[in-house]
Amino acid sequence: MEQVTLRVQGMSCGHCIQAIESNVGKLDGVEAVKVHLEASTVDVSFNPELVTLHAITEEIEEQGYDVEQ
């Protein structure tokens, strides 16, 4: 299991939390997702054999947010 903290811009409300946590959480291999609005970060635990970090960041960006690399 791998854990990363992503810097994500554009999150501002409960809907943002729900959109990211539910959509990223649906990806095969993602174990846990936690959004921290105040810090503009998203913690993700995932199995790199089942899902790539690139796929996770793409899913967040598809929800309308910017992931800083």
Side-chain angles (χ1 to χ4, degrees), residues 2-31:
E2 210 172 297
Q3 180 156 358
V4 296
T5 299
L6 303 170
R7 300 250 337 130
V8 180
Q9 298 302 312
M11 303 183 301
S12 62
C13 63
H15 172 74
C16 302
I17 295 171
Q18 196 272 337
I20 292 174
E21 289 183 352
S22 66
N23 287 291
V24 173
K26 290 178 186 173
L27 296 173
D28 286 338
V30 172
E31 184 75 20

